[in-house]
Amino acid sequence: MWPFKKRGPATAGLMIDPTNGDPQVRALVAAVAARDSATIRAILDGAPDPDTHAYLMEAAAEVDGVQDWIGGWIAAEPHSTLPTLLRGCHGVFWAWEARGAARAEYTREEQFREFHRRLRIAENALDEVVDRDPGNVTAWTWLVTSARGRQVAPDEAAARFAEVVKRHPAHVVAHEQHLQYLCAKWFGSDEQMFAFARQATVAAPDGSLVPEVLVVAHIEKWLSLPRGEDGQYLRSAPVRADMLAAVHKSLFHPAFRPGLGWFPRANSFAMGLEKAGEFDAAARVFAMIGDQVTDWPWSYCGNVVKEFAAARERAYANRVG
């Protein structure tokens, strides 16, 4: 067990669990795979708040094959928006699966065609949900996500985000997805991305996960820089100060309560802090996480488990406190 020193990064026992060990998420994923609409409805309808509903939907929508059977559920329950919502949310993930994770210049034309075809299916479903239920925060959140894929204008992207936050101001997934739209690699700029991230962090309630977006903004900037400049950037005093301020308002604040969806956001804090050389804070986050490694953001660096283990080892080895 950590933090005992070993030769090389200790990866034994580490694995990516999309459910993060949560029995409710595990039951939901199993229900989607089994096409068990009654259990899917019971779990999603039981979500106590929009954030929890979004975290659950992230897990449900990423299950393979939803597009093959969801039409039957929609036909069986024409007065319900839930199956149409699942079609739309899954469709966004399904579209990105066709596109792949590479930058546009490395994506084939046929991938783009299939990407846009699937996104149209997704947005048609999501549009239907918000037409029938304008207050559906999860549908608006996935429209925030699809905004960059559909290449909507900045005003439209901002309007979609506004529909979410006027109903739930500190919605974590919506903040993460709108930040991506504002990245220079999509339709924004570094100035827009950081302005949004800093404003969101200041406005976030104490103990919220929203300040993670400031760490993600710095990771995105780091990814855009040439080798050598990237590490120097993350270790600069202003960036380190930003990351420490964000984690102290979030995971380290007395008001923070670990809940559904917190592990991927904590992994973002851990990666950013460790790469910035803030080893004490990073080690504290790693201790909170335990062995719950998540695919994102470590997939930015290569082998997820090895990168997580190596970063954790460096944080423990270099911490002072």
Side-chain angles (χ1 to χ4, degrees):
M1 297 294 292
W2 287 97
F4 301 128
K5 289 179 180 278
K6 297 176 184 278
R7 293 182 179 177
T11 60
L14 283 176
M15 60 180 292
I16 301 168
D17 175 6
T19 71
N20 299 132
D22 187 278
Q24 185 181 36
V25 178
R26 188 173 292 126
L28 177 60
V29 168
V32 176
R35 309 180 183 186
D36 179 357
S37 59
T39 301
I40 297 169
R41 178 179 295 285
I43 294 173
L44 288 172
D45 285 354
D49 56 72
D51 273 315
T52 302
H53 197 271
Y55 300 144
L56 288 167
M57 185 58 77
E58 282 185 319
E62 288 190 294
V63 177
D64 290 338
V66 171
Q67 72 279 358
D68 297 332
W69 61 268
I70 194 67
W73 186 12
I74 293 170
E77 298 186 27
H79 301 297
S80 173
T81 58
L82 179 58
T84 305
L85 176 64
L86 180 56
R87 168 181 271 174
C89 294
H90 169 75
V92 175
F93 285 111
W94 188 43
W96 250 272
E97 182 183 82
R99 184 192 185 280
R103 288 181 177 268
E105 59 265 33
Y106 304 115
T107 305
R108 299 190 307 273
E109 185 178 344
E110 58 268 28
Q111 288 177 275
F112 274 122
R113 283 198 299 269
E114 183 62 10
F115 174 59
H116 291 298
R117 185 186 76 84
R118 294 180 183 185
L119 266 186
R120 285 193 296 273
I121 294 171
E123 285 219 335
N124 286 342
L126 295 168
D127 286 341
E128 180 181 341
V129 173
V130 297
D131 283 346
R132 294 166 60 187
D133 178 13
N136 193 304
V137 175
T138 298
W140 282 116
T141 298
W142 261 256
L143 284 167
V144 170
T145 304
S146 65
R148 64 185 190 275
R150 292 285 280 167
Q151 302 179 36
V152 305
D155 287 351
E156 171 64 16
R160 295 181 182 195
F161 178 70
E163 291 289 344
V164 177
V165 295
K166 76 180 182 183
R167 297 176 172 92
H168 192 67
H171 197 285
V172 177
V173 175
H175 276 82
E176 292 171 335
Q177 294 300 326
H178 194 52
L179 180 86
Q180 289 298 314
Y181 181 93
L182 295 173
C183 288
K185 67 183 180 183
W186 285 99
F187 303 107
S189 64
D190 289 346
E191 292 75 18
Q192 290 172 297
M193 176 180 69
F194 281 111
F196 173 78
R198 291 196 170 94
Q199 182 180 13
T201 298
V202 169
D206 291 338
S208 166
L209 290 170
V210 167
E212 177 231 9
V213 297
L214 184 53
V215 174
V216 172
H218 284 301
I219 290 173
E220 291 290 348
K221 178 63 178 177
W222 166 73
L223 287 166
S224 73
L225 294 172
R227 187 176 296 275
E229 291 181 33
D230 53 357
Q232 185 177 25
Y233 168 79
L234 278 186
R235 291 188 295 271
S236 67
V239 172
R240 293 170 74 156
D242 268 356
M243 291 197 181
L244 287 174
V247 76
H248 278 283
K249 186 162 189 180
S250 181
L251 302 184
F252 294 171
H253 195 277
F256 173 69
R257 297 292 180 270
L260 198 65
W262 83 279
F263 280 116
R265 285 80 203 176
N267 273 259
S268 296
F269 276 113
M271 179 175 141
L273 288 162
E274 191 279 325
K275 288 192 174 298
E278 289 294 338
F279 298 117
D280 283 9
R284 185 174 169 186
V285 177
F286 277 117
M288 295 171 71
I289 293 170
D291 286 344
Q292 290 293 347
V293 56
T294 58
D295 184 71
W296 196 90
W298 302 101
S299 55
Y300 276 153
C301 306
N303 183 287
V304 171
V305 169
K306 288 182 179 179
E307 291 293 336
F308 175 92
R312 183 169 66 173
E313 185 172 88
R314 286 192 297 270
Y316 280 121
N318 290 286
R319 62 183 172 179
V320 176

